[in-house]
Amino acid sequence: MAITVKELTTYEISGDGTTVELNVVDEAGKSTCLQFQLPDLGNLLMTLPSLIEAALRRKYRDGAYRFAHPVGHWSIEAASDPSSVIVSLQTKDGFGVNFSMRRSDATELARSLSDVTPKPAFLMN
């Protein structure tokens, strides 16, 4: 049975943190709930970015499309493993993602960021 979600209304986290409920309204106006165990919610989180990019590329028939959010805040902090850091990226409205990264990769990322040259949108003569 397919549920066409019209609106995501609220969410609830169980007292023990093992399940999350996403409360939605379907296209008929009926409220329902999608319940996820924590591991399944993590799997969904990891799958959604590639799904939305694949859908955008199919819709617009252009491999250059990306679903990108402007970064409002970022931080880098030490991880429990001394050879790694935690890189956190967050939008102004609170969407955030944390990545664990080897320090050597973080150094390479910093080098790559400093070498990025903007591409012109178009050239005029």
Side-chain angles (χ1 to χ4, degrees):
M1 174 176 95
I3 298 171
T4 301
V5 175
K6 182 179 178 183
E7 179 184 3
L8 175 64
T9 56
T10 60
Y11 64 88
E12 294 180 38
I13 302 170
S14 65
D16 62 2
T18 59
T19 59
V20 172
E21 293 182 355
L22 301 178
N23 300 304
V24 299
V25 175
D26 69 14
E27 64 185 345
K30 179 183 172 194
S31 294
T32 192
C33 166
L34 306 173
Q35 188 178 66
F36 295 91
Q37 299 293 317
L38 195 55
D40 295 323
L41 189 62
N43 290 336
L44 180 63
L45 173 70
M46 296 301 290
T47 304
L48 287 175
S50 60
L51 283 176
I52 196 165
E53 286 198 0
L56 283 170
R57 290 174 183 170
R58 185 173 295 174
K59 179 177 181 175
Y60 295 106
R61 301 187 190 287
D62 186 340
Y65 272 84
R66 303 284 188 277
F67 192 72
H69 304 275
V71 172
H73 174 76
W74 60 270
S75 66
I76 300 174
E77 60 188 285
S80 57
D81 173 1
S83 66
S84 297
V85 295
I86 297 172
V87 178
S88 301
L89 303 172
Q90 189 174 43
T91 63
K92 289 181 182 178
D93 60 359
F95 170 72
V97 179
N98 303 306
F99 295 95
S100 173
M101 183 180 277
R102 293 188 323 230
R103 287 180 183 272
S104 59
D105 289 337
T107 300
E108 185 61 31
L109 175 62
R111 189 174 298 117
S112 296
L113 286 169
S114 67
D115 290 342
V116 171
T117 304
K119 295 180 183 177
F122 58 91
L123 298 174
M124 295 176 52
N125 60 8

